Amino acid sequence: MKISIITLFPEMFDGFINTSIVKKAILQNIVKVEVIDMRAFTKDKHNRVDDYPFGGGAGLVLMCQPVVDAIKHVRTEKSKVFLMSPQGQTFSQKMAQRFSEDIDHLVLVCGHYEGFDERIRDYVDGEISIGDYVLTGGELASMVISDAVIRLVEGVITQESHEDDSFSDGLIEYAHYTRPREYDGKEVPEVLLSGHHENIRKFRLISSIKKTLKNRPDLLEKRVLTKEESEILDTLIHKQSLTNINE
């Protein structure tokens, strides 16, 4: 897989592509990450890539010419091009999975200033947001998306390492523990030390549903629960109700 990132600040990606799992994926030639300097494509004699908006208003807007030329430079028949924009579709684990499986060349265009000239949207396949807030530029968003996609590309990490990730099956991931067995009076649940695979599986499922109920109950409303999951959820809600009554 290849990821091309079009940006005004290529130096921001030095640490990103030279650290941890992303660096490993690049060194193993599983993924190629290409950082493109948008400013290299401007034809403005003052080397500008932005200008004041027609109609007035605060801030500057990225011009069509350098952005579109940069997109045309990297785009191939296999490319999918997305603008980093708070106006876009909210990024998700399912989207990351789909990108890692279905896209050979992902192009991410980082906005800056007050955003893009509207006509630039005619040259891309979509827009992606990482949340309902505004950043100074799309660079951090493109790193988030790239990281989420790269770790799911086959061969980057073992499948077992990500198949139980939060949101992969519509639930938050279960609680994890490691050494020591006891810390500050808090002990690792005995079931995890038992070696009993079925009991461990059920403990983790209960933990996952419990965390989801506490932190993201909206996910449970969207998920079609199995009979086992429904019984666990009913039990947890009942216990929660009793606790609230006793309080």
Side-chain angles (χ1 to χ4, degrees), residues 1 3 16 21-22 91-101 106 108 130 140-154 156-157 162 165 168:
M1 181 182 197
I3 299 178
F16 175 71
I21 298 298
V22 175
F91 190 65
S92 66
Q93 184 71 12
K94 288 185 178 180
M95 193 183 296
Q97 186 70 54
R98 187 171 72 250
F99 284 4
S100 71
E101 295 173 352
L106 177 63
L108 304 176
I130 60 169
L140 293 177
S142 69
M143 291 183 207
V144 168
I145 292 167
S146 297
D147 185 279
V149 172
I150 288 171
R151 65 186 299 275
L152 296 178
V153 174
E154 185 176 356
V156 174
I157 61 176
H162 63 71
D165 283 343
S168 292

Side-chain angles (χ1 to χ4, degrees), residues 211-240:
K211 278 178 168 284
T212 307
L213 180 62
K214 178 182 178 182
N215 298 328
R216 290 293 305 275
D218 57 299
L219 296 176
L220 292 169
E221 297 175 3
K222 302 173 185 177
R223 179 179 169 83
V224 178
L225 300 174
T226 65
K227 181 181 179 182
E228 180 184 28
E229 291 168 348
S230 294
E231 291 173 350
I232 291 171
L233 180 60
D234 289 342
T235 300
L236 290 172
I237 292 175
H238 180 65
K239 287 182 178 179
Q240 188 179 73

Side-chain angles (χ1 to χ4, degrees), residues 130-242:
I130 60 169
D132 294 338
Y133 47 87
V134 179
L135 301 170
T136 55
E139 285 75 20
L140 293 177
S142 69
M143 291 183 207
V144 168
I145 292 167
S146 297
D147 185 279
V149 172
I150 288 171
R151 65 186 299 275
L152 296 178
V153 174
E154 185 176 356
V156 174
I157 61 176
T158 63
Q159 184 173 345
E160 289 181 352
S161 294
H162 63 71
E163 62 184 7
D164 290 328
D165 283 343
S166 294
F167 312 111
S168 292
D169 64 351
L171 299 172
I172 289 178
E173 191 174 7
Y174 52 78
H176 291 279
Y177 297 86
T178 187
R179 292 183 291 179
R181 289 180 58 171
E182 184 274 332
Y183 176 75
D184 198 24
K186 305 177 191 300
E187 296 186 357
V188 174
E190 192 65 33
V191 65
L192 297 177
L193 309 172
S194 68
H196 194 295
H197 297 300
E198 175 57 20
N199 288 348
I200 291 173
R201 181 200 68 80
K202 189 163 185 179
F203 170 84
R204 286 176 168 170
L205 179 59
I206 293 171
S207 172
S208 180
I209 295 174
K210 186 175 181 178
K211 278 178 168 284
T212 307
L213 180 62
K214 178 182 178 182
N215 298 328
R216 290 293 305 275
D218 57 299
L219 296 176
L220 292 169
E221 297 175 3
K222 302 173 185 177
R223 179 179 169 83
V224 178
L225 300 174
T226 65
K227 181 181 179 182
E228 180 184 28
E229 291 168 348
S230 294
E231 291 173 350
I232 291 171
L233 180 60
D234 289 342
T235 300
L236 290 172
I237 292 175
H238 180 65
K239 287 182 178 179
Q240 188 179 73
S241 299
L242 290 177

